[in-house]
Amino acid sequence: MTYRMRGIRMAKVTLLLGSLVLAVAIACGSDDEPAPAATSAAAPTAAAAPTAAAAATAAAPATATASTAPVANATKAPAMGDGPEGDLVYGVNKVESIYGVAYTGPYRGSAHKQTGGIQEYLFVMGDDGNAMTPQLADSWKVDAAGTKVTLTIKTGIPWHAPLGQESLDAKFGDMTADDIVAYLNSGNSTTNPESTYPDAGDLAAVFLEASTVDATTLEIGLVSPLFYGLPLSAFGILGMADGPYFRRGVDIMGLDWAQANGVGTGPFRQGLCIPGDRCTANAMDEHWRKVSEIASLTIIQVPESATRVAMLKNGQIDLTMMDFKLVPGLIDQGFHFLDTQPGNFVGSSILYPGNLWEENHARTGEALNPWDGPSYDKDLPWIGDPWQESNPSKVRYTDTDNPPGMTDMEQARLVRLALGTAIDRTQIKDVLLGGLGVKLFSEYMGPEYPGWDPDRESGVWSFDKGRIDASGTQQSIPYTLADGDADAAGALLDTAGYPLIGGSRPGIGDQLTLQKYVAEAGEVGLEVGDTVNSTWSQLGINVSQLVEDYGGVISPRMRKREQFLPVLKNGDVNSSAFPLDWPYPPVDSSISRPGWGVGFESPYLATEHFAIRGSQDKAFREFEHMETADYMIYWQLYNGVFQIPRGVVTNDRITGISVEQTHYGDSTGYGNPETITLKK
């Protein structure tokens, strides 16, 4: 298989991917397929009610339906050949701590997930593109009334403790329905408001309390209509993208032990793990699903790309995450870029937190009082205040810099659009991404996304309801934004009331700080942040930078809706591979409260999310998906920047790896070490 690099000749590049079998196309399936129906166990509040169109579609839900696993309950997989052999070393920029029961941990990954192989999932993306193909689960169905989902799990799948603590295996026993119930209820921010689990808000957006029926069966109440998919797969449909943690370990061993040890059902055990240094996954000799062909994988922390390159060349490491601008040169030197998820790109955008436009919680109806938050302490140019005109009693500052007849919402939209127009995506792609990336124009829309049409335009939108007529500065935005156009960006800022005076723009020039960090797209995000800042400074904006720990500092502020500085990372759309009829994430609204959110909230996005996931009409879901994309292009709550393929650089020892398609995860797209094949 030859990897295709955009903008760079790749005639020499042939990858060792003979064993890579991975479905690229992602489809939701036909409208004739069974569709699980769901409605709220309690009557939804007015704030949470879906649109009239969705209500009409959901008025006559289908009878109980089910998706059943095509495989039998757990059996022992035979060892391949002579069993696991060969140890691999993987260079990464950071080795995290172990967070074995993540409902008490910080918002960050765990070392036992970085190695992969220890955790498994209830559902995975199947080769046929079905995002709900059972793995640990055996079957699932939704009742005829649409009030709950019933989930059956496989039997005979044991939990295994870390290496050196195998004597605990008998005490831990097999996975049961009680384990899944404890996992769901401890992680869900509705059933456990203290949960800091990264997927707490995603669980809360869909599920009420889970309860055990018998040893292999559990029931979970549903928040609102949901006619396909559930947030329980590694693919991350509806935001949830994690496998069960061993909550029972807290009761057996105590919280400290449970948090510090990764217990899983996968084909590897956690080995020696030292935060900031290394962590090893050791292969099991037998496993219900697949026995690994390698004996162990050790991740080691090597922060600098240049050092990782040197270690790759001298054989100290076998594979590595890599600064993308270095990849073409490494390929020329005989190394290989292993595209782990062909067709699945991970991106990065500028997020504009602080634009909190919802007055009531979309699920509960509770008053949110967004005007009391720190983002409305003063007039920030990129944050729109919808109450300046509609309810001045809620406003805490006097808005004096809007041009005549222009609302604060429109002024802030023009500022965000100007900042997005100025970004030189071509330079970023060609220089910083080594030609491997593609340009992104919104978190939700770019050349690799379903529905992409370079000639499409957004139309004009109100912030809370729907389409409106164009007038004045409120004009349709093309999907293909002007790229690195400083003149057009400057004109937009002039129009917004921030003219260039003596080389600077009073009112905006001393307020803009861009926060950046190594997100799912990798270390290149830090260099991209430098480039974006340089571009913005050329507009006459005195831009500063702030690098803070995301998991410990920025994420808690996002969760509390206290973040108001722009952030370079990604929202909840971490890939280009998802069905066209997928509802955009609940985290762009109040639906995920009190769990994590991107820091802005739109009543229109909340309404659309419920409408799409509550419809049985695939054509309606696809149409509304594109309506949401149009809205986001127009309002520019994200400035899209770039996307890159998921992959790792390897030496000749590795001949292939077959990775499950995932919506979440970083630019390596890595997570199934049991599928690595080595040169014999």
Side-chain angles (χ1 to χ4, degrees), residues 92-393:
V92 301
N93 66 327
K94 183 178 181 181
V95 175
E96 299 283 1
S97 298
I98 294 288
Y99 303 108
V101 284
Y103 72 97
T104 67
Y107 189 96
R108 56 164 53 96
S110 173
H112 77 288
K113 296 179 183 178
Q114 289 179 282
T115 63
I118 294 168
Q119 183 181 43
E120 292 183 294
Y121 299 86
L122 289 165
F123 297 87
V124 296
M125 168 72 75
D127 288 342
D128 59 356
N130 182 357
M132 289 292 287
T133 297
Q135 189 171 86
L136 293 174
D138 189 56
S139 66
W140 63 283
K141 64 180 180 180
V142 175
D143 71 325
T147 60
K148 66 179 181 295
V149 60
T150 301
L151 183 68
T152 303
I153 63 169
K154 289 182 171 65
T155 59
I157 297 181
W159 296 100
H160 35 259
L163 191 71
Q165 303 185 65
E166 291 88 345
S167 61
L168 293 173
D169 288 359
K171 182 179 291 188
F172 293 165
D174 290 349
M175 177 187 67
T176 66
D178 281 339
D179 288 329
I180 307 304
V181 166
Y183 152 65
L184 291 172
N185 288 342
S186 63
N188 187 331
S189 59
T190 294
T191 51
N192 177 19
E194 301 303 316
S195 172
T196 55
Y197 188 42
D199 288 329
D202 301 308
L203 290 173
V206 175
F207 291 139
L208 301 173
E209 187 171 11
S211 60
T212 302
V213 176
D214 57 40
T216 61
T217 309
L218 60 142
E219 294 178 345
I220 320 169
L222 295 169
V223 167
S224 71
L226 176 60
F227 294 107
Y228 73 106
L230 288 169
L232 290 172
S233 72
F235 181 69
I237 192 166
L238 292 177
M240 170 66 186
D242 215 342
Y245 51 73
F246 188 55
R247 168 59 182 80
R248 189 156 44 91
V250 177
D251 304 321
I252 298 172
M253 304 296 295
L255 178 60
D256 289 345
W257 187 95
Q259 186 66 305
N261 291 274
V263 176
T265 62
F268 285 76
R269 291 184 189 271
Q270 175 201 322
L272 173 66
C273 288
I274 304 172
D277 183 19
R278 64 191 59 236
C279 186
T280 298
N282 297 85
M284 307 280 289
D285 291 331
E286 60 178 16
H287 186 256
W288 74 272
R289 178 173 55 84
K290 181 175 178 59
V291 175
S292 171
E293 295 188 36
I294 65 169
S296 73
L297 177 81
T298 298
I299 59 171
I300 61 172
Q301 179 165 307
V302 188
E304 299 296 330
S305 292
T307 307
R308 293 200 298 274
V309 168
M311 295 177 74
L312 186 68
K313 291 179 178 179
N314 66 26
Q316 290 178 277
I317 59 177
D318 301 289
L319 67 161
T320 180
M321 58 191 308
M322 189 50 60
D323 184 339
F324 271 80
K325 70 176 180 292
L326 301 178
V327 171
L330 289 170
I331 292 172
D332 287 342
Q333 296 174 53
F335 295 97
H336 310 281
F337 179 76
L338 211 60
D339 192 348
T340 54
Q341 294 188 34
N344 191 346
F345 286 63
V346 58
S348 192
S349 302
I350 308 291
L351 285 66
Y352 290 99
N355 284 284
L356 302 172
W357 303 336
E358 293 186 60
E359 297 189 25
N360 297 94
H361 195 294
R363 285 189 291 110
T364 69
E366 69 176 294
L368 297 177
N369 301 326
W371 42 78
D372 292 334
S375 61
Y376 293 107
D377 283 342
K378 61 180 180 179
D379 188 7
L380 295 172
W382 58 92
I383 294 178
D385 184 345
W387 302 284
Q388 286 287 334
E389 290 76 32
S390 66
N391 196 343
S393 66

